Amino acid sequence: MAHVVTCFVRNRGAVLLTLRSEETGTYSGRWAGISGYIEGDPDDAETDAWRELREETGLGADDLELVRAGETVDVEDGEGSFVVHPFLFESDTRTVTTNEELAEIAWTDPTAIRNRPTVPRLWETWRRVAPTVEIVRTDRTHGSAWISARALEALRDAAIEADDWAAVAKIGRELRDARPSMAAVCNRVNRVLSTSERTPESVATVAIRELDAAFESDEKAARTLVRRLRDAEVSGVATLSRSGTVSAALRKLGPTSLLVAESRPEREGVTVAETVAEETDAAVTVTTEAALPAALARREGAVDAVVVGADAVHPDGSVVNKTGTSVLASAAQSAGVPVYVVAASDKVRPTGTAPKDAADEMCAESPHEAVYDGDADVDVFAPTFERVSADLVDGLATEKGLLDAAAVRRVAAEHAEHAAWTD
C-alpha cells in the first residue's frame, strides 16, 4: 500500500479544503486536505507533510504550527490502496499560493466535508486529528481562550455524528466539566446547548456561530486593553504564563520593554518572551515568579503596567489564573503599578458557582516529577491555578469594554441562565 499524508490547515476554526485538479494522479475533481505521497520513511511522515504544504500552499514554518499527528487511515478502492497519515496545523494566515495540483480552495467549517464530494474517508481522517473531550481535558500548553475554542469544535463534531439530543447532551456535560477552572469552556458550551433547539443539527449550527463569536470576543478584549494602555501612555509591561489574548494585545501595543515570568513547571511564559522578542523591537527579560518583586524593583520606572489573562473571573471580581499571578499583582501594587486583566466576558463564572474557599481554586495538576524527581518520601504541592483577590486588580478588559463590579455581576447572571440547560 502507498503511504500518503493529508494535512488539515486550521485558521480561526475553519480548515483549508482543496479541490484536486486534473494534474493530480488520483481523485481529480474531489475535495481533500493538502495531500501527497510519502517519499521516504513513513515513520518520518512529518517531513513529507511540511514539503507538501510548501509546494501546494506556499505556507511554511513561519506561518504554521504543528498541532498533532493522528492515527493512520487505510483506504482501498478503484484508485488504489493507501495508508493515510493525518496531520493538523494551525495557521496565522489564510493567504496561500497554490500550485497546478489544486483547482480551487475553500476555507470552511470542517463539517462541510460531509456535504462535498471528497477523497475517501476524509471526515474520518479529520476526526483522527480533530479536538476531543480528552484533548480539552489534558491540554497544558494553551490558554483557556484556545481550549474553549477546541471545546466548541469538539461539540460541533460530536453533534454532527450524534443520533439524538441525549448523545449531544452527554458530550456537552463532559466538555462542560473537562476544565472546571476555565470558565470560558463551561460558559461557551452552556450557551450553545441553552440556545439551540435540542437537536444535533441545531447544536452543530449554533456551535459554529459561537466559535466565530468567540474569536471576535477575544480580539475585541485585546483591543479594549490596548486602548486603555495607550491612553495611559504605557510603554513597559510585565506579564506571566501564556495567554493568547495577552499576546494579541502585546502585538498591537508594541511595548518598548517586556518582563515575563516563566511560569513553572511548564514554563509556557518562555514561549511568550521568545515570540515578542522575535516579532517586535521590545527589550524582553525572562524571570521566575519568585524573583518578580526583585525584578520590578530593579526595573523601577521601566514597568508601567502589569497585564495578565484569566482562566476565570468570579462574580465578585476576583480572578483565577496561573499560580504566580498573586505574587506579580502584589509586587505591582507595592510598586504603584496598575494591574489589568484581559479576558472575554465568557470567562466570568455564572452566579452561584464560585467556590467558597480560595483553596478550592488550586488544582494540583502538574506532574509530580516536574517539581520533584528525587527519591525522598516527600509530598508535592503543585497547583496550576490560584485565586487572585479583586483588590489587586485595577481593571478587567473585555469585548464589552472595561467592566466594573456591577457589570461583572450582570454578566455572571446571564451565564447562570445559560447553565440551566441541564435542568
Side-chain angles (χ1 to χ4, degrees), residues 241-283:
S241 190
R242 176 180 176 176
S243 162
T245 313
V246 169
S247 296
L250 291 174
R251 286 193 293 270
K252 293 178 183 295
L253 178 67
T256 58
S257 66
L258 178 67
L259 174 67
V260 185
E262 62 177 354
S263 302
R264 295 189 179 186
E266 287 86 0
R267 302 182 73 237
E268 61 270 23
V270 174
T271 302
V272 175
E274 291 174 338
T275 300
V276 173
E278 292 170 356
E279 296 183 357
T280 74
D281 295 326

Side-chain angles (χ1 to χ4, degrees), residues 20-323:
R20 295 170 64 83
S21 74
E22 295 294 336
E23 299 298 322
T24 60
T26 55
Y27 303 112
S28 61
R30 303 277 195 95
W31 289 91
I34 305 301
S35 58
Y37 287 97
I38 294 176
E39 298 177 355
D41 186 348
D43 291 336
D44 188 29
E46 182 183 334
T47 298
D48 297 88
W50 282 106
R51 187 196 69 251
E52 291 295 334
L53 286 165
R54 287 191 300 271
E55 292 177 355
E56 296 190 15
T57 69
L59 300 176
D62 291 339
D63 312 295
L64 302 170
E65 174 190 357
L66 175 61
V67 178
R68 74 182 58 87
E71 294 183 7
T72 59
V73 177
D74 292 341
V75 171
E76 287 195 52
D77 66 4
E79 299 261 4
S81 300
F82 306 95
V83 178
V84 182
H85 297 250
F87 291 88
L88 174 61
F89 292 84
E90 196 78 47
S91 174
D92 59 9
T93 180
R94 293 191 182 184
T95 301
V96 298
T97 303
T98 60
N99 66 7
E100 69 281 356
E101 294 183 6
L102 307 183
E104 187 179 339
I105 65 169
W107 287 96
T108 183
D109 187 83
T111 57
I113 292 172
R114 297 170 65 90
N115 301 317
R116 295 187 181 218
T118 69
V119 298
R121 304 183 71 179
L122 186 62
W123 175 253
E124 182 178 348
T125 304
W126 158 252
R127 293 292 274 149
R128 296 292 174 97
V129 292
T132 63
V133 174
E134 185 63 17
I135 287 170
V136 171
R137 182 182 294 118
T138 60
D139 187 290
R140 293 294 176 268
T141 60
H142 294 93
S144 60
W146 194 94
I147 293 173
S148 66
R150 307 293 80 84
L152 290 175
E153 290 176 330
L155 180 60
R156 172 202 64 201
D157 292 351
I160 284 292
E161 296 178 343
D163 294 325
D164 53 31
W165 164 257
V168 178
K170 179 178 182 295
I171 295 295
R173 294 187 189 95
E174 292 176 359
L175 286 166
R176 178 199 61 193
D177 300 335
R179 299 302 289 270
S181 63
M182 293 184 174
V185 174
C186 173
N187 286 331
R188 287 172 173 168
V189 169
N190 279 340
R191 185 183 296 111
V192 171
L193 295 168
S194 172
T195 59
S196 69
E197 297 177 357
R198 297 211 168 201
T199 65
E201 296 80 6
S202 177
V203 170
T205 299
V206 176
I208 293 169
R209 185 183 68 212
E210 287 296 328
L211 184 60
D212 290 338
F215 286 111
E216 291 180 5
S217 295
D218 294 330
E219 292 174 354
K220 289 179 180 178
R223 289 198 292 269
T224 297
L225 176 67
V226 170
R227 284 195 299 270
R228 178 68 186 93
L229 297 181
R230 285 177 176 165
D231 289 345
E233 298 183 347
V234 167
S235 60
V237 174
T239 189
L240 87 169
S241 190
R242 176 180 176 176
S243 162
T245 313
V246 169
S247 296
L250 291 174
R251 286 193 293 270
K252 293 178 183 295
L253 178 67
T256 58
S257 66
L258 178 67
L259 174 67
V260 185
E262 62 177 354
S263 302
R264 295 189 179 186
E266 287 86 0
R267 302 182 73 237
E268 61 270 23
V270 174
T271 302
V272 175
E274 291 174 338
T275 300
V276 173
E278 292 170 356
E279 296 183 357
T280 74
D281 295 326
V284 181
T285 301
V286 177
T287 188
T288 63
E289 286 74 63
L292 276 168
L296 286 176
R298 182 175 72 89
R299 297 164 57 91
E300 184 176 356
V303 175
D304 304 308
V306 165
V307 176
V308 296
D311 286 282
V313 178
H314 287 303
D316 65 359
S318 58
V319 174
V320 179
N321 199 43
K322 185 69 183 289
T323 49

